[in-house]
Amino acid sequence: MMMKSNVPFPNHPRRLHPFMPTILLGLCLAWPLCASDRYLEPGHPDGVALLAPPPEAGSAEEAADLQMTRELVKARTSAETAIAVEDMKLNVFNFAQAIGPIFQPGKFPKTEALLAKVRKETSGVVNAAKEHWKRPRPSSMDPSLAFGKSEASFSYPSGHSSIGTVQALVLAELFPEKREAILAQGRRIGWNRVLTGYHFLTDVRAGRVLGQAIVREMTANPAFQHDLAEAKAEIAGAQTSQ
């Protein structure tokens, strides 16, 4: 026996808002773009799988690492200190030293957007590796190495070395005629972190390896390829107008 429902049924289907089909279509079209606009897939590259662990705490290797930092900090000149302080900012426009005065803020908006996104995604990869190993910084082992403002993040791998490497490799693609000078400045960013006692040399070397792996992953990504091509066109246009 069929039970009679007390729920009233309308005599006609409920009408959609006249703009609803357009809104739904827009969301459907936008979703794949939003889902794939990252330059790096989650977990790629995996710094923990890629890098060897840092020297074991209390080992002779760690002691040698610390002693090298002490010696480099002690030998640092005032000129090296001034350069290191500027490099700490990770301001991508500091690469104007290698590229030339054409590379100025506000002149290349697409290039700036590309590099900002690159840095943000690079930081996520580096921080995941730092949180895994939780290596203390040199100044936590030897307070005499403290320089400027202390940093709460862990030491291995060096974030400045990773980001400096990534920035340099991307800029070398954009300004190939300045490639060697750009890459040298990228290496300097990491090296100066040892001179100022923020990092061990092993941290900096690991950062360079991770930075190279990050750029390899990015260059295979269609969203990155698209944005890089637009940045290259933007720079070519500016160079032609000059």
Side-chain angles (χ1 to χ4, degrees):
M1 179 177 179
M2 184 175 291
M3 300 293 293
K4 184 177 180 181
S5 173
N6 294 323
V7 180
F9 287 90
N11 295 325
H12 55 79
R14 182 178 294 175
R15 292 182 179 178
L16 291 174
H17 189 282
F19 294 113
M20 186 60 70
T22 303
I23 294 170
L24 291 174
L25 177 61
L27 289 173
C28 291
L29 291 174
W31 182 84
L33 295 175
C34 295
S36 63
D37 67 351
R38 290 178 55 89
Y39 295 162
L40 295 171
E41 294 299 320
H44 294 275
D46 182 349
V48 176
L50 174 71
L51 300 173
E56 187 176 349
S59 66
E61 187 178 2
E62 182 191 65
D65 218 3
L66 180 59
Q67 183 59 28
M68 178 177 287
T69 303
R70 288 186 179 121
E71 292 173 3
L72 290 169
V73 167
K74 185 177 180 180
R76 187 184 71 231
T77 67
S78 57
E80 287 173 329
T81 300
I83 294 170
V85 168
E86 193 62 29
D87 281 350
M88 283 181 195
K89 300 174 184 177
L90 285 175
N91 180 355
V92 72
F93 289 101
N94 282 346
F95 280 92
Q97 299 168 36
I99 296 167
I102 190 175
F103 192 54
Q104 298 296 329
K107 193 166 186 177
F108 303 105
K110 291 182 179 179
T111 303
E112 284 191 54
L114 167 75
L115 292 166
K117 189 171 178 181
V118 162
R119 176 171 173 175
K120 181 179 179 180
E121 295 198 28
T122 296
S123 295
V125 175
V126 173
N127 290 339
K130 282 177 177 285
E131 289 297 323
H132 174 79
W133 279 299
K134 293 181 166 58
R135 187 186 195 187
R137 290 184 182 270
S139 59
S140 70
M141 300 181 190
D142 183 350
S144 71
L145 296 174
F147 179 88
K149 185 180 179 182
S150 63
E151 296 184 5
S153 63
F154 295 106
S155 199
Y156 186 91
S158 164
H160 277 71
S161 181
S162 300
I163 293 170
T165 297
V166 171
Q167 288 178 333
L169 288 169
V170 174
L171 285 168
E173 285 294 312
L174 297 171
F175 298 93
E177 70 282 3
K178 303 291 186 178
R179 180 178 179 84
E180 295 307 316
I182 291 169
L183 295 181
Q185 187 168 338
R187 289 182 67 85
R188 187 188 77 192
I189 290 171
W191 176 247
N192 282 339
R193 297 293 281 175
V194 185
L195 294 188
T196 49
Y198 280 103
H199 279 291
F200 301 97
L201 182 57
T202 47
D203 302 337
V204 169
R205 287 176 172 166
R208 290 169 181 162
V209 172
L210 185 55
Q212 289 176 321
I214 288 169
V215 174
R216 276 198 303 271
E217 290 279 344
M218 286 185 175
T219 52
N221 179 280
F224 175 82
Q225 293 168 2
H226 173 271
D227 292 350
L228 182 70
E230 288 206 335
K232 285 182 176 180
E234 179 179 63
I235 291 166
Q239 290 172 331
T240 301
S241 65
Q242 279 200 336

